[in-house]
Amino acid sequence: RKEVEQDPGPFNVPEGATVAFNCTYSNSASQSFFWYRQDCRKEPKLLMSVYSSGNEDGRFTAQLNRASQYISLLIRDSKLSDSATYLCVVSRGVPYKLSFGAGTTVTVRA
Amino acid sequence: DAGVIQSPRHEVTEMGQEVTLRCKPISGHDYLFWYRQTMMRGLELLIYFNNNVPIDDSGMPEDRFSAKMPNASFSTLKIQPSEPRDSAVYFCAGGQGALGNTIYFGEGSWLTVV
């Protein structure tokens, strides 16, 4: 079983819509959680960290459910520029020992 | 500030040839990582360095792969001999601090072995 699993999508949504997707992780000892964004043919970039109480960054909301071992990302009022692959990343606390999910592809259409 | 700089950005080579990928990390970043990304396997950590010393090379697929970091501002990943299955995007990334978790990727080196 992969340490981090994501629905690959694609999620095709119209501009202005809300889209949400999850990722699950297998190791209950995981301590830190992140969402990275990767545009087509580009490098991954940190989108946001995920905190236990949930957190927002503009139109993006991340939630963590430790009991069920999943992380979610919600994008409100989708923009064309949100089209990308979103990578779920989990760390077990060993510095920089990051496990990347395969990514969820989101396409926002006009 | 300049980000992580990788070269070459694209390389096409024939099977059996030696490939050398280069990375200049962000100044002050004491951790350096080499990742490989393919459609089939996603992002895989190959090796990482701390203060120029290799810490974990368990992700290096086989002896054909080697990595060095002779100083804080330069690292290489070498594949010799290259095989078609090595075709992938190779990312160099950096991080700062022993408690860190955020890493910053270079733009990647797109390798095609024919």
Side-chain angles (χ1 to χ4, degrees):
Chain A
R1 182 183 174 189
K2 291 182 180 178
E3 188 160 353
V4 181
E5 302 216 44
Q6 295 184 249
D7 180 346
F11 288 76
N12 293 308
V13 299
E15 266 189 300
T18 296
V19 60
F21 42 89
N22 295 338
C23 115
T24 58
Y25 59 95
S26 60
N27 194 318
S28 59
S30 299
Q31 297 184 10
S32 302
F33 309 89
F34 310 88
W35 285 103
Y36 275 67
R37 170 194 169 126
Q38 186 171 24
D39 293 319
C40 186
R41 301 183 70 80
K42 297 287 189 181
E43 73 275 22
K45 292 181 179 179
L46 177 68
L47 176 67
M48 61 194 298
S49 301
V50 185
Y51 301 118
S52 297
S53 55
N55 49 295
E56 282 189 12
D57 184 358
R59 298 180 292 105
F60 296 83
T61 300
Q63 296 280 353
L64 168 63
N65 186 317
R66 286 188 184 271
S68 302
Q69 294 183 203
Y70 75 83
I71 307 147
S72 65
L73 182 66
L74 182 146
I75 308 172
R76 288 189 304 277
D77 188 22
S78 300
K79 312 292 185 190
L80 294 176
S81 58
D82 295 333
S83 298
T85 297
Y86 292 85
L87 304 173
C88 177
V89 184
V90 172
S91 169
R92 262 181 271 154
V94 177
Y96 300 109
K97 269 295 217 187
L98 303 176
S99 296
F100 285 80
T104 297
T105 298
V106 173
T107 302
V108 181
R109 62 182 188 274
Chain B
D1 286 341
V4 177
I5 299 172
Q6 294 187 242
S7 64
R9 293 293 318 282
H10 299 88
E11 177 148 346
V12 180
T13 190
E14 291 187 346
M15 183 173 64
Q17 296 299 305
E18 177 178 294
V19 173
T20 299
L21 308 178
R22 297 173 178 80
C23 175
K24 177 179 169 56
I26 297 171
S27 177
H29 278 192
D30 49 355
Y31 284 80
L32 184 139
F33 307 83
W34 282 100
Y35 282 85
R36 176 172 71 175
Q37 187 174 37
T38 61
M39 289 291 292
M40 291 295 294
R41 302 172 69 91
L43 261 172
E44 303 174 279
L45 177 63
L46 301 178
I47 184 171
Y48 79 95
F49 297 82
N50 176 221
N51 292 322
N52 316 335
V53 176
I55 302 301
D56 185 349
D57 66 353
S58 58
M60 296 286 260
E62 46 197 276
D63 291 346
R64 298 184 298 107
F65 286 69
S66 63
K68 294 182 179 179
M69 192 166 184
N71 58 62
S73 58
F74 184 66
S75 177
T76 59
L77 178 67
K78 188 173 293 186
I79 309 172
Q80 166 63 21
S82 58
E83 297 183 2
R85 59 194 168 120
D86 301 330
S87 298
V89 185
Y90 291 82
F91 289 105
C92 178
Q96 185 176 27
L99 299 178
N101 276 299
T102 302
I103 60 174
Y104 300 89
F105 286 83
E107 293 184 310
S109 291
W110 296 72
L111 174 66
T112 302
V113 183
V114 297

Coordinates of all heavy atoms in Angstrom, one line a residue, chain A residues 32 34 36 38 41-44 46 87 91 95-98 100, chain B residues 31 33 37 56 91 95-98 100-103 105-106 110:
Chain A
S32 N 3.5 15.9 9.9 CA 3.3 17.2 9.2 C 2.7 16.9 7.8 O 3.0 15.9 7.2 CB 4.7 17.9 9.0 OG 5.3 18.1 10.3
F34 N 1.2 18.7 4.0 CA 1.3 19.9 3.1 C 0.5 19.6 1.9 O 0.3 18.4 1.5 CB 2.8 20.1 2.8 CG 3.7 20.2 3.9 CD1 4.3 19.0 4.4 CD2 4.0 21.4 4.5 CE1 5.1 19.0 5.5 CE2 4.9 21.4 5.6 CZ 5.4 20.2 6.1
Y36 N 1.2 20.7 -2.1 CA 2.1 21.3 -3.1 C 1.3 21.4 -4.4 O 0.4 20.6 -4.6 CB 3.3 20.5 -3.3 CG 4.5 20.8 -2.4 CD1 4.4 20.4 -1.1 CD2 5.7 21.4 -2.8 CE1 5.5 20.7 -0.2 CE2 6.7 21.6 -2.0 CZ 6.6 21.3 -0.6 OH 7.7 21.5 0.2
Q38 N 1.6 21.6 -8.6 CA 2.5 21.5 -9.7 C 1.8 21.8 -11.0 O 0.9 21.1 -11.4 CB 3.1 20.0 -9.8 CG 4.2 19.9 -10.8 CD 4.9 18.5 -10.7 OE1 4.4 17.5 -10.2 NE2 6.1 18.4 -11.3
R41 N 4.4 20.6 -16.6 CA 5.8 20.7 -17.0 C 6.6 21.7 -16.1 O 7.6 22.3 -16.6 CB 5.9 21.1 -18.5 CG 5.3 20.0 -19.4 CD 5.4 20.4 -20.9 NE 6.8 20.2 -21.3 CZ 7.4 19.0 -21.6 NH1 6.7 17.9 -21.5 NH2 8.6 18.9 -22.0
K42 N 6.2 21.9 -14.9 CA 6.9 22.8 -14.0 C 7.2 22.0 -12.7 O 6.9 20.8 -12.5 CB 6.0 24.0 -13.6 CG 5.7 24.8 -14.8 CD 6.8 25.7 -15.2 CE 6.4 26.7 -16.3 NZ 7.6 27.5 -16.7
E43 N 8.0 22.7 -11.8 CA 8.3 22.0 -10.6 C 7.2 22.2 -9.5 O 6.5 23.1 -9.6 CB 9.7 22.7 -10.0 CG 9.5 24.1 -9.4 CD 9.6 25.2 -10.5 OE1 9.3 24.9 -11.7 OE2 9.9 26.3 -10.1
P44 N 7.2 21.3 -8.6 CA 6.2 21.4 -7.5 C 6.6 22.6 -6.6 O 7.8 22.9 -6.4 CB 6.4 20.1 -6.7 CG 7.1 19.2 -7.6 CD 8.0 20.0 -8.5
L46 N 5.3 24.7 -2.9 CA 4.4 24.6 -1.7 C 3.2 25.5 -1.9 O 3.3 26.7 -2.2 CB 5.2 25.1 -0.5 CG 4.4 25.1 0.8 CD1 4.0 23.7 1.3 CD2 5.2 25.8 1.9
L87 N -0.4 18.1 -5.1 CA 0.3 16.9 -4.5 C 0.1 17.0 -3.0 O 0.4 18.0 -2.4 CB 1.8 17.0 -4.8 CG 2.2 17.0 -6.3 CD1 3.7 17.3 -6.5 CD2 1.8 15.7 -7.0
S91 N 4.8 14.0 6.2 CA 6.1 13.9 6.8 C 6.0 13.1 8.1 O 5.0 13.4 8.9 CB 6.8 15.2 7.0 OG 7.9 15.1 7.8
P95 N 13.3 15.1 9.7 CA 13.4 16.2 8.8 C 13.5 15.9 7.3 O 14.4 15.1 6.9 CB 14.7 17.0 9.3 CG 14.7 16.6 10.7 CD 14.2 15.2 10.8
Y96 N 12.6 16.5 6.6 CA 12.7 16.4 5.1 C 12.4 15.0 4.6 O 12.5 14.7 3.4 CB 14.0 16.9 4.6 CG 14.3 18.3 4.9 CD1 15.2 18.6 5.8 CD2 13.5 19.3 4.3 CE1 15.4 20.0 6.2 CE2 13.7 20.6 4.6 CZ 14.7 20.9 5.6 OH 14.9 22.3 5.9
K97 N 11.9 14.0 5.4 CA 11.5 12.7 4.9 C 10.1 12.9 4.5 O 9.1 12.6 5.2 CB 11.7 11.7 5.9 CG 13.0 11.0 6.0 CD 13.2 10.2 4.7 CE 13.9 8.9 4.9 NZ 14.3 8.2 3.7
L98 N 9.9 13.4 3.2 CA 8.6 13.7 2.7 C 8.1 12.5 1.8 O 8.8 12.0 1.0 CB 8.6 15.0 2.0 CG 9.1 16.2 2.7 CD1 9.2 17.4 1.8 CD2 8.2 16.5 3.9
F100 N 5.3 11.9 -1.1 CA 4.4 12.6 -2.0 C 3.4 11.7 -2.5 O 3.7 10.6 -2.9 CB 5.3 13.2 -3.2 CG 6.1 14.4 -2.8 CD1 7.3 14.3 -2.2 CD2 5.7 15.7 -3.2 CE1 8.1 15.4 -1.9 CE2 6.4 16.8 -2.9 CZ 7.6 16.6 -2.2
Chain B
Y31 N 20.4 21.6 3.2 CA 19.9 20.3 2.8 C 19.7 20.3 1.2 O 19.2 21.3 0.7 CB 18.6 19.9 3.4 CG 18.7 19.4 4.8 CD1 18.8 20.3 5.9 CD2 18.7 18.1 5.1 CE1 18.9 19.9 7.2 CE2 18.8 17.6 6.5 CZ 18.9 18.6 7.5 OH 19.1 18.1 8.8
F33 N 18.4 17.8 -2.1 CA 17.7 16.6 -2.4 C 17.7 16.4 -3.9 O 17.6 17.3 -4.7 CB 16.2 16.6 -2.0 CG 16.0 17.0 -0.5 CD1 16.1 18.3 -0.2 CD2 15.9 16.0 0.4 CE1 15.9 18.7 1.2 CE2 15.7 16.4 1.7 CZ 15.7 17.7 2.1
Q37 N 10.9 12.1 -11.1 CA 9.4 12.1 -11.3 C 9.1 11.4 -12.6 O 9.6 11.8 -13.7 CB 8.8 13.4 -11.3 CG 7.3 13.4 -11.3 CD 6.7 14.8 -11.1 OE1 7.2 15.8 -11.6 NE2 5.6 14.9 -10.3
D56 N 21.2 9.9 3.1 CA 20.3 8.8 2.8 C 20.3 8.6 1.2 O 19.8 9.4 0.5 CB 18.9 9.0 3.3 CG 18.0 7.8 3.1 OD1 18.3 6.9 2.4 OD2 16.9 7.8 3.7
F91 N 14.6 16.3 -10.4 CA 14.5 17.6 -9.7 C 15.5 17.6 -8.6 O 15.7 16.7 -7.9 CB 13.1 17.8 -9.0 CG 12.0 18.1 -10.0 CD1 11.1 17.1 -10.3 CD2 11.9 19.3 -10.6 CE1 10.0 17.4 -11.1 CE2 10.8 19.6 -11.4 CZ 9.9 18.6 -11.7
G95 N 16.5 22.7 1.2 CA 15.8 23.0 2.4 C 16.8 23.6 3.4 O 18.0 23.4 3.3
Q96 N 16.2 24.3 4.4 CA 17.1 24.9 5.4 C 16.7 24.5 6.8 O 15.5 24.6 7.1 CB 17.0 26.4 5.2 CG 17.9 27.2 6.1 CD 17.8 28.7 5.8 OE1 16.8 29.2 5.4 NE2 18.9 29.4 6.1
G97 N 17.6 24.1 7.6 CA 17.4 23.9 9.0 C 17.0 22.5 9.3 O 16.3 21.8 8.5
A98 N 17.5 22.0 10.5 CA 17.3 20.6 10.8 C 15.9 20.3 11.2 O 15.5 19.1 11.2 CB 18.2 20.3 12.0
G100 N 13.3 21.5 9.5 CA 12.5 21.9 8.3 C 11.7 20.8 7.7 O 12.0 19.6 7.8
N101 N 10.7 21.3 6.9 CA 9.9 20.3 6.1 C 9.6 20.9 4.7 O 9.2 20.2 3.9 CB 8.6 20.0 6.8 CG 8.7 18.9 7.8 OD1 9.1 17.8 7.4 ND2 8.4 19.2 9.0
T102 N 9.8 22.2 4.6 CA 9.5 22.8 3.3 C 10.7 22.8 2.4 O 11.8 23.1 2.8 CB 9.1 24.3 3.5 OG1 7.9 24.3 4.3 CG2 8.7 24.9 2.2
I103 N 10.5 22.2 1.2 CA 11.6 22.2 0.3 C 11.3 23.0 -1.0 O 10.1 23.1 -1.3 CB 12.0 20.7 -0.1 CG1 10.9 20.0 -0.7 CG2 12.5 20.0 1.2 CD1 11.3 18.6 -1.2
F105 N 12.0 23.4 -5.0 CA 12.5 22.6 -6.1 C 13.1 23.5 -7.2 O 12.7 24.7 -7.4 CB 11.3 21.9 -6.8 CG 10.8 20.7 -6.0 CD1 10.0 20.9 -4.9 CD2 11.3 19.4 -6.3 CE1 9.5 19.8 -4.2 CE2 10.8 18.3 -5.6 CZ 9.9 18.5 -4.5
G106 N 14.1 23.0 -7.9 CA 14.5 23.6 -9.2 C 13.5 23.3 -10.3 O 12.5 22.6 -10.0
W110 N 14.9 17.5 -17.8 CA 14.1 16.5 -18.5 C 15.0 15.6 -19.3 O 15.6 16.0 -20.3 CB 13.1 17.3 -19.4 CG 12.1 18.1 -18.6 CD1 12.3 19.2 -18.0 CD2 10.7 17.8 -18.5 NE1 11.2 19.7 -17.4 CE2 10.2 18.8 -17.7 CE3 9.9 16.8 -18.9 CZ2 8.8 18.8 -17.3 CZ3 8.6 16.8 -18.5 CH2 8.0 17.8 -17.7

